Amino acid sequence: MKFLPLLTAVASTASAHTIFVQLETGGKTYPVSHAIRTPSYDGPITNVNSNDLACNGGPNPTMKSNEIITVQAGTTVKAVWRHTLTSGPNNVMDASHKGPTLAYLKKVSNALTDTGIGGGWFKIQEDGYNGGNWGTSKVINNAGLHYIDIPSCIAPGQYLLRAEMIALHGAGSSGGAQLYMECAQINIVGGTGSASPKTYSIPGIYKSNDPGILVNIYSMTTSSKYTIPGPPVFTCAGGGGGGGSGPVTTNPEPVEEVPVVPTQPEPVDSGCEAAQWQQCGGQNYSGCTRCASPYTCKNINQYYHQCS
């Protein structure tokens, strides 16, 4: 019986990384990798200046897709996130990977061949931090479903739909934020074309020192403010989407006091092993503290240690 807490902790430790694997639209959920440039490896992009920020790639080579999904303008689509290409709805991303969700569109002449790199992108969705709740946590708790509204006023045609989740558990130091994104190839029909969104370049939408990229989430309280990175969200009611004073924030001013961190005892070998990229230590952590060979447990910050 004394082993039950340990077994429970091990069983509840979800795998860390994540992939946008499927798109649901018009009541139909398309197969895994259908019209989405998915990688076989679920790693993040950490360099916000990399061309890989557009549609993934580089350390996570993506597979070509020859399909395009038709999407009705003015409807809501669902990006389906999973830890791997074969994971189920209970294995989306580790709950410790807290941060915002975002979505972008780019109008292209050929969704099958456009790399996504460069200008033409506009943001259509974001969900950050509100009252202690993160956008990524909502997706995890909703079986991996990421809701994205497609504007009714944009021009019809082929687009890349870029769904993104940003994990901030290690973002207290430069380069610590983990960005996960894939691009779906879609053909939007029924759009009125009455608005022309202001567009931005990827890479270029984020900077490494943006307050939404370089942030210590462990000092935040339920009343803290979080600034979602990137340009403002385009809406049909807002015209071109280029106005406004910056990224949308919906939370009150942050408190200046930093919580006192209690002394954390040295971790005890739990007898189990964590795989690469899984958590292996940190304040109040009770899971596996030993990493599978050849990985070692690295101190990302006082709250999160990771096998790498």
Side-chain angles (χ1 to χ4, degrees):
M1 294 299 292
K2 65 181 179 179
F3 297 109
L4 284 178
L6 173 60
L7 293 174
T8 301
V10 173
S12 63
T13 302
S15 299
H17 298 173
T18 192
I19 305 173
F20 164 31
V21 298
Q22 292 172 280
L23 187 68
E24 179 181 331
T25 181
K28 178 178 180 179
T29 302
Y30 287 84
V32 170
S33 300
H34 184 96
I36 304 175
R37 305 169 185 180
T38 53
S40 57
Y41 178 64
D42 59 353
I45 300 298
T46 57
N47 180 1
V48 297
N49 298 312
S50 168
N51 287 340
D52 301 325
L53 190 67
C55 291
N56 208 344
N60 319 305
T62 55
M63 298 175 283
K64 181 180 178 181
S65 173
N66 293 318
E67 297 89 18
I68 295 176
I69 295 174
T70 297
V71 174
Q72 178 69 40
T75 63
T76 300
V77 302
K78 300 172 189 174
V80 181
W81 292 88
R82 297 286 186 263
H83 166 51
T84 70
L85 298 180
T86 58
S87 298
N90 293 325
N91 191 4
V92 177
M93 184 169 68
D94 193 280
S96 66
H97 286 35
K98 302 180 186 298
T101 63
L102 313 96
Y104 295 80
L105 282 174
K106 177 178 181 175
K107 196 173 191 309
V108 296
S109 57
N110 189 335
L112 297 178
T113 60
D114 195 285
T115 64
I117 299 169
W121 291 99
F122 57 100
K123 186 193 287 184
I124 60 171
Q125 181 272 335
E126 63 181 20
D127 187 12
Y129 181 78
N130 191 358
N133 296 315
W134 285 99
T136 54
S137 300
K138 295 177 186 177
V139 171
I140 293 170
N141 294 334
N142 199 33
L145 298 182
H146 175 187
Y147 290 81
I148 303 168
D149 294 334
I150 305 298
S152 61
C153 59
I154 59 177
Q158 294 188 17
Y159 286 79
L160 295 179
L161 169 63
R162 178 182 180 274
E164 179 177 30
M165 296 213 286
I166 302 179
L168 300 173
H169 56 285
S173 58
S174 181
Q178 296 182 355
L179 295 86
Y180 300 91
M181 78 298 297
E182 274 76 39
C183 289
Q185 301 162 173
I186 65 175
N187 180 45
I188 295 179
V189 298
T192 65
S194 61
S196 297
K198 182 176 180 179
T199 60
Y200 302 83
S201 176
I202 301 179
I205 52 171
Y206 307 142
K207 293 182 173 59
S208 59
N209 61 349
D210 282 346
I213 296 292
L214 182 61
V215 56
N216 177 13
I217 64 172
Y218 303 103
S219 65
M220 296 172 64
T221 68
T222 56
S223 62
S224 293
K225 170 184 175 182
Y226 171 74
T227 302
I228 300 172
V233 172
F234 166 78
T235 62
C236 294
S245 58
V248 175
T249 57
T250 58
N251 307 299
E253 289 297 319
V255 294
E256 296 182 357
E257 297 179 1
V258 177
V260 176
V261 179
T263 303
Q264 181 73 4
E266 289 296 316
V268 178
D269 189 340
S270 58
C272 62
E273 292 185 341
Q276 184 186 22
W277 306 121
Q278 287 186 332
Q279 186 171 2
C280 55
Q283 185 176 324
N284 298 325
Y285 174 72
S286 59
C288 301
T289 56
R290 183 196 308 165
C291 295
S293 179
Y295 308 110
T296 58
C297 189
K298 295 183 179 178
N299 187 339
I300 305 301
N301 53 54
Q302 67 194 54
Y303 303 90
Y304 192 88
H305 304 173
Q306 179 174 270
C307 292
S308 60

